[in-house]
Amino acid sequence: MMTVRLMALLTCLSAVSASAAPPVGTSGKPADLPAVTSATLVEVAVEPLTPAAFKPFGEAIVVPEGQPPTADTGAARYWGGLAKDRFAEEVEFGMLSVAARPREVAELQRSVRSPTFLAGLSGEWVLVVAPPTLAGRPLLASRVRAFVVKPGQAVLLHRGTWHADPFPRGESGLFLVAVRDGTVKKDLKSRSFKGKEAVRIP
């Protein structure tokens, strides 16, 4: 479910231009494309990104309202500790380029051994997620939620959180990704929704 092969990470990283071909999933087939006509479509509304709303899926990294900065030099203010997790090995940083595409999702992806940090570097974008499931349990479209992430915000996904590649609200988007080294090749798996369902977001 990535956008062409990426330079290094996350939901499939390999530097690719915004004008590249349709996204390709870990199975090597096009992903995040319109659902087949026989699929049952589940409409999912887009909601604002807040720490409370995003808690089942990970950490929402936003400038906290009403909270004084951890450090303040007058010219620069820093808010620390907004999200924390442990990476068991070296951390891999990469850039993800995603072209605009139809906002229908028939499958999601996840890594079970690494949290995933994702920050947009240009414009607003929408992140489609579903909570972690136990091995062998079905992935349900009814549990999907979608969040709009604004400039200056980022997310840190829990291990096992299901997600789609970001949906840029413009023609393309560029993203900074950080995961445990080797995640894309060894620990990124995709799964379709139960009952051949598909999710559509506005």
Side-chain angles (χ1 to χ4, degrees):
M1 223 193 279
M2 280 315 291
T3 312
V4 184
R5 307 192 79 199
L6 307 169
M7 204 125 145
L9 308 173
L10 165 53
T11 65
C12 274
L13 322 147
S14 241
V16 175
S17 70
S19 60
V24 175
T26 54
S27 62
K29 61 184 180 182
D32 276 347
L33 297 178
V36 295
T37 55
S38 60
T40 300
L41 284 175
V42 176
E43 301 282 347
V44 175
V46 176
E47 55 190 296
L49 179 71
T50 66
F54 199 71
K55 190 173 182 179
F57 315 102
E59 305 287 342
I61 305 172
V62 302
V63 176
E65 295 184 8
Q67 179 177 320
T70 307
D72 190 345
T73 65
R77 296 184 296 168
Y78 171 73
W79 285 267
L82 300 181
K84 295 181 180 180
D85 209 323
R86 292 183 180 274
F87 291 80
E89 297 177 2
E90 288 186 343
V91 178
E92 178 182 338
F93 292 87
M95 302 296 290
L96 170 65
S97 174
V98 183
R101 63 199 189 280
R103 293 180 179 177
E104 291 183 10
V105 179
E107 64 179 23
L108 297 178
Q109 62 189 359
R110 71 171 177 178
S111 59
V112 297
R113 301 180 63 192
S114 175
T116 299
F117 172 79
L118 182 62
L121 302 180
S122 58
E124 291 187 355
W125 49 287
V126 174
L127 180 64
V128 174
V129 292
T133 57
L134 297 177
R137 294 291 181 87
L139 180 60
L140 304 177
S142 61
R143 303 198 67 190
V144 167
R145 291 171 70 180
F147 295 88
V148 59
V149 186
K150 298 181 178 181
Q153 299 179 333
V155 299
L156 180 63
L157 297 175
H158 291 319
R159 293 167 179 80
T161 293
W162 293 100
H163 59 281
D165 287 339
F167 286 89
R169 284 196 153 175
E171 294 183 359
S172 64
L174 185 63
F175 302 86
L176 172 65
V177 181
V179 293
R180 185 173 182 250
D181 188 33
T183 292
V184 174
K185 292 183 178 180
K186 302 177 181 179
D187 186 33
L188 191 64
K189 306 297 182 182
S190 298
R191 183 186 297 178
S192 300
F193 293 113
K194 181 181 179 180
K196 296 183 178 180
E197 293 180 321
V199 169
R200 175 187 290 163
I201 59 175

